[in-house]
Amino acid sequence: MSNSPSRPRRYLLPVLMSATTVFGLACWAILATEPGCLAAQGHWSSGSGQCHTRLCLLQGDCGERAAPVAGCAGLQPGDSRGKVYFHLGNPLPGAAEQARWPAHKASDGSIVADFDGERLTRLQCPDAR
């Protein structure tokens, strides 16, 4: 009896690698379009032509929203920082325990989120227009 792998096993790894590559390229192609991004429940940034998914905090960029205040309705205390950033976009520079966003692109109002670690404790949103 020989210790060499059988013929089908020898080709399994290259086939799996090829399938994974094709799947990854297909996902990238879908997310590179606005309809594909929205179908994946992402936010499309028309200014940069990028799709921001729920993994945006881990990926390091949640984009900028023209009207972050519209995302306030989907948030509540206890939500993760990742969910908050996904709905509101990248915050203005500041302290980690309190994040701020302009309410609208051309507005004096602001959104303020207080965090305890990675959990939202308080959210102040002005009324959406």
Side-chain angles (χ1 to χ4, degrees):
M1 183 176 243
S2 147
N3 287 339
S4 66
S6 66
R7 185 170 281 264
R9 283 187 183 170
R10 188 177 322 160
Y11 296 106
L12 185 61
L13 183 59
V15 168
L16 286 175
M17 289 172 55
S18 296
T20 303
T21 301
V22 168
F23 179 74
L25 289 172
C27 288
W28 175 80
I30 290 169
L31 294 177
T33 65
E34 184 175 6
C37 179
L38 299 177
Q41 298 181 342
H43 290 291
W44 181 257
S45 175
S46 58
S48 65
Q50 291 183 326
C51 182
H52 300 284
T53 66
R54 294 186 181 273
L55 298 175
C56 65
L57 185 61
L58 294 173
Q59 294 169 334
D61 182 15
C62 291
E64 293 180 19
R65 311 278 186 272
V69 72
C72 288
L75 299 171
Q76 60 187 359
D79 285 342
S80 69
R81 185 180 299 267
K83 182 177 180 179
V84 174
Y85 285 22
F86 172 71
H87 282 280
L88 303 179
N90 294 331
L92 298 169
E97 51 284 331
Q98 187 176 75
R100 294 181 172 279
W101 295 261
H104 304 277
K105 203 169 194 173
S107 170
D108 291 333
S110 63
I111 300 167
V112 179
D114 293 326
F115 292 95
D116 182 12
E118 292 300 307
R119 292 288 163 192
L120 179 67
T121 58
R122 186 173 65 101
L123 181 66
Q124 291 179 300
C125 286
D127 292 333
R129 292 182 196 169

